[in-house]
Amino acid sequence: EPEVTQTPSHQVTQMGQEVILRCVPISNHLYFYWYRQILGQKVEFLVSFYNNEISEKSEIFDDQFSVERPDGSNFTLKIRSTKLEDSAMYFCASRASREVYNEQFFGPGTRLTVL
Amino acid sequence: LAKTTQPISMDSYEGQEVNITCSHNNIATNDYITWYQQFPSQGPRFIIQGYKTKVTNEVASLFIPADRKSSTLSLPRVSLSDTAVYYCLVGPISSGSARQLTFGSGTQLTVLP
């Protein structure tokens, strides 16, 4: 069964450093997402991406965040200058169809720890 | 997006049927009801989706009454591995905007031996 993969599984960084979280969505999917989940809290939407541009973003997704699909297979989330409060699980998801509430496939997540 | 209300937690024993109810009083005509499951330190996983009456797949059943103001996820004969958080999401299926899923707090199901 096809699946979304994410690397690394765990990233530890110092406050103020840049991090890039990587995702490989399911190959025939067209819509891509990043979510985050702070420990013990809700899964929160960050950004959606379609046709090589951002479709929607939440208020969490400020100027220190960026996304990119550099090579047609990878989908990355960059945090330019990490803060302590960026510590969370970051989940990538992808979806095949245009129907919004149809199934999104989530990756296993990257645990980001900012020290 | 319709607001949803679920119990915070539920306990069950192995082999029992578990029913988790979600209230969504302000559901709109175009809204579908979708359930996701999340294990600790993993991403959410789609379980089932429906619009009205009953939907069944190999994992669960979804019961939606005629007024659609609530829905019930039914898990038959649960096992320890069904211990997870279960999320009810309500929103439109549209062919336009690539909108996000909105997760609430979910229901923590704990299956006991």
Side-chain angles (χ1 to χ4, degrees), chain B residues 79-90:
Chain B
S79 64
L80 297 176
S81 62
D82 292 315
T83 293
V85 179
Y86 292 82
Y87 298 98
C88 166
L89 292 84
V90 174

Side-chain angles (χ1 to χ4, degrees), chain B residues 6 10 17-22 34-37 47-49 55 57 59-63 71-76 86-88 109:
Chain B
Q6 305 174 230
M10 293 181 69
E17 178 184 81
V18 170
N19 296 307
I20 306 174
T21 297
C22 178
T34 309
W35 285 81
Y36 278 76
Q37 173 193 57
I47 302 175
I48 198 165
Q49 183 178 73
V55 180
N57 62 23
V59 175
S61 295
L62 179 59
F63 298 93
S71 57
T72 299
L73 174 72
S74 181
L75 305 172
Y86 292 82
Y87 298 98
C88 166
L109 171 66

Side-chain angles (χ1 to χ4, degrees), chain A:
Chain A
E1 183 178 323
E3 59 183 15
V4 175
T5 59
Q6 290 185 243
T7 54
S9 57
H10 191 186
Q11 174 90 46
V12 181
T13 190
Q14 295 289 327
M15 189 170 57
Q17 295 295 305
E18 175 184 284
V19 295
I20 297 176
L21 309 182
R22 291 182 167 81
C23 168
V24 179
I26 294 172
S27 62
N28 63 342
H29 285 189
L30 301 176
Y31 300 88
F32 313 112
Y33 306 85
W34 283 100
Y35 294 80
R36 80 170 185 191
Q37 187 174 33
I38 296 171
L39 185 63
Q41 298 188 24
K42 300 177 185 178
V43 177
E44 301 174 290
F45 166 76
L46 292 177
V47 66
S48 61
F49 191 87
Y50 169 71
N51 199 26
N52 283 320
E53 60 183 24
I54 290 174
S55 304
E56 286 180 284
K57 57 185 180 180
S58 72
E59 62 277 5
I60 302 169
F61 194 89
D62 61 22
D63 291 344
Q64 72 161 344
F65 290 90
S66 62
V67 289
E68 194 177 33
R69 189 156 161 80
D71 57 12
S73 61
N74 290 286
F75 180 49
T76 61
L77 174 69
K78 181 192 290 187
I79 309 175
R80 289 191 185 82
S81 178
T82 50
K83 305 175 193 149
L84 295 177
E85 54 265 37
D86 293 327
S87 294
M89 283 289 286
Y90 287 81
F91 296 108
C92 172
S94 69
R95 177 168 61 85
S97 68
R98 299 185 71 188
E99 283 69 36
V100 175
Y101 261 70
N102 275 357
E103 183 174 359
Q104 286 193 16
F105 291 80
F106 284 77
T110 292
R111 181 175 297 283
L112 177 64
T113 302
V114 182
L115 303 175

